[in-house]
Amino acid sequence: MELLASQEDMSQDEALRFLKKMEQSDQLGSFEAAYQTVKYLRQKISDSQWGKAREALDLVKEQSARLLKGQRESSVGNMIRRVMKIIKDEHFSSGKEKTDERDTQESLQKLLLADDDEEEYNQPKENLKESVIDSMCELLSELETSAEIVCANSLEHIQNNEVIMTLGNSRLVERFFKTAVNKKRKFQVIIVESFPNYRGHELAKALTEADIKTTVVSDAAVFAMMSRCNKVIIGTNSVMADGGLKASSGTHTLALAAKHYSVPLIVLAPMYKLTPQYLSSYDQDKFNQTISPHHVLPYNSGEIINRVSVSCPLYDYVPPDLVSTYATNIGGYAPPYIYRLLADLYHPDDYNLKQELNS
């Protein structure tokens, strides 16, 4: 099998380094975590001896327990679900020539029943291993080109002389803006600095170097500045199953201000960020991650330190009614359509991944 140069198999040392990084989740971004997860699982599937779908699924479950240990990056779980769906789909399609009508009927039946015959997965299928590896290579290629495809549509969302607001420092948003300016779009960007880490200053520096007119404002100025904006374009950590999103702290305030002034909120979200989880800001233990509040309340603040408890969350939950459009690598979608994308990407039995891994 011929693979892209960037898709070469992992060596044992590379696999060990990857697992070590997975234990330190802050060392990996969403894309790298997703890409390396698929690459790692492909290597294990390729190296192992198996001939039945159930054996491949058990192998993925075994490796997934290691990958998910202490891992908060949702793209890891998303890619595990994608791989498990690939195995199931290839099992049912192996050695069969199906019509489009039959495919549609089976998809509807699986969607309604969400129940597979476990005995069926123990039936051997011809060339199943080769088909699964080929599909995983296609998934890696999809991941490699996802950001490029999202950015290629920048001219559909950015018009000349517009004022666009964003928050923090997203590499995808940066690339999105640079792609638009390289295609001769002229616009202005207002960046919310994102206290207390001030990541907005990093994005401002990068955009200024690309000759994009940039203004940095404090988080408190979001509402005052929103009336001057034509649209808001942001990145996100995850797109939730209800069409809401998990994004950097401060995004909820930004989205509320945009809603008040009827400014469209566009979220750049490659498909590896779509998760079948339903989480909200009320479930902070599972949803969020807190960091040290020393930037807000320094440890040398005197007696007040002993009298207060300060929580400094990394993420906000933004409900779907505050989002206008998701710009993905397979097109633009409104939040209510997210449920259909979930059915296309993941098997219903794998939505609750921890329960599936324990079964």
Side-chain angles (χ1 to χ4, degrees):
M1 184 192 318
E2 293 184 2
L3 303 176
L4 297 174
S6 58
Q7 292 186 10
E8 292 178 353
D9 290 343
M10 279 184 169
S11 67
Q12 186 174 1
D13 289 341
E14 288 175 329
L16 290 174
R17 286 197 298 270
F18 169 62
L19 290 174
K20 186 175 181 180
K21 279 188 176 181
M22 293 297 287
E23 295 173 358
Q24 303 168 335
S25 56
D26 57 334
Q27 304 230 344
L28 289 174
S30 295
F31 169 77
E32 186 181 358
Y35 187 84
Q36 295 296 335
T37 296
V38 177
K39 197 173 179 181
Y40 176 80
L41 290 176
R42 186 193 63 178
Q43 180 70 34
K44 293 300 180 181
I45 287 174
S46 178
D47 290 345
S48 302
Q49 296 293 327
W50 59 274
K52 303 174 184 178
R54 172 49 55 198
E55 294 171 346
L57 290 171
D58 289 342
L59 174 63
V60 171
K61 290 180 182 181
E62 178 185 348
Q63 297 300 324
S64 299
R66 301 179 66 185
L67 295 175
L68 292 172
K69 187 177 181 180
Q71 181 59 235
R72 287 183 173 268
E73 187 56 67
S74 63
S75 60
V76 175
N78 296 340
M79 291 303 98
I80 292 172
R81 294 182 182 96
R82 287 288 297 270
V83 171
M84 294 176 74
K85 187 172 191 298
I86 284 174
I87 295 171
K88 294 175 181 179
D89 287 349
E90 292 299 331
H91 169 80
F92 284 108
S93 64
S94 178
K96 294 181 181 179
E97 293 292 335
K98 297 182 179 179
T99 63
D100 292 339
E101 181 180 357
R102 184 174 177 182
D103 284 338
T104 302
Q105 290 174 346
E106 291 191 0
S107 296
L108 288 173
Q109 185 179 13
K110 290 178 184 178
L111 183 64
L112 291 172
L113 298 179
D115 184 25
D116 286 323
D117 185 359
E118 287 298 317
E119 292 299 322
E120 174 65 24
Y121 290 136
N122 286 317
Q123 301 299 320
K125 298 286 182 175
E126 185 179 358
N127 299 323
L128 177 59
K129 185 174 183 178
E130 290 78 5
S131 299
V132 168
I133 294 174
D134 285 343
S135 295
M136 293 182 72
C137 289
E138 292 176 5
L139 176 56
L140 287 171
S141 297
E142 176 191 325
L143 292 173
E144 288 176 341
T145 59
S146 58
E148 180 181 351
I149 295 173
V150 171
C151 295
N153 297 320
S154 58
L155 296 188
E156 296 181 10
H157 300 286
I158 299 176
Q159 307 301 322
N160 279 322
N161 302 317
E162 283 191 328
V163 179
I164 302 169
M165 182 175 286
T166 189
L167 177 142
N169 181 23
S170 165
R171 285 177 290 182
L172 182 58
V173 171
E174 177 187 338
R175 184 173 175 179
F176 192 82
F177 288 149
K178 287 182 176 179
T179 301
V181 80
N182 288 338
K183 295 181 178 180
K184 309 305 179 184
R185 282 284 195 263
K186 295 188 179 297
F187 54 95
Q188 178 182 352
V189 179
I190 297 176
I191 303 174
V192 182
E193 64 182 1
S194 190
F195 179 83
N197 53 30
Y198 297 107
R199 296 194 64 200
H201 292 269
E202 301 170 16
L203 178 60
K205 180 181 178 181
L207 296 184
T208 301
E209 292 173 351
D211 294 326
I212 300 175
K213 188 176 180 181
T214 305
T215 304
V216 179
V217 299
S218 69
D219 296 54
V222 166
F223 195 86
M225 298 296 292
M226 186 61 70
S227 60
R228 306 181 186 182
C229 299
N230 300 103
K231 57 174 60 85
V232 176
I233 298 178
I234 60 173
T236 183
N237 177 273
S238 303
V239 179
M240 314 307 291
D242 61 352
L245 60 95
K246 173 183 177 181
S248 299
S249 184
T251 305
H252 190 207
T253 301
L254 182 72
L256 288 172
K259 183 77 170 181
H260 178 82
Y261 284 104
S262 299
V263 175
L265 175 65
I266 300 170
V267 182
L268 308 184
M271 281 293 91
Y272 60 81
K273 294 192 175 185
L274 177 59
T275 176
Q277 296 174 313
Y278 288 89
L279 297 174
S280 72
S281 56
Y282 299 105
D283 192 5
Q284 290 294 320
D285 289 340
K286 292 182 180 179
F287 176 80
N288 223 323
Q289 182 178 353
T290 56
I291 59 174
S292 171
H294 70 275
H295 293 294
V296 180
L297 188 67
Y299 297 124
N300 59 358
S301 298
E303 294 183 1
I304 191 174
I305 283 289
N306 299 321
R307 298 201 296 266
V308 298
S309 177
V310 181
S311 178
C312 192
L314 278 180
Y315 302 110
D316 274 352
Y317 170 74
V318 179
D321 59 293
L322 299 181
V323 179
S324 303
T325 304
Y326 286 105
T328 77
N329 53 300
I330 59 174
Y333 297 98
Y337 195 77
I338 294 298
Y339 82 96
R340 190 66 187 88
L341 296 178
L342 287 172
D344 292 338
L345 294 175
Y346 309 122
H347 193 282
D349 290 347
D350 303 330
Y351 283 6
N352 189 340
L353 192 56
K354 288 185 178 181
Q355 178 178 330
E356 177 67 11
L357 294 180
N358 292 330
S359 63

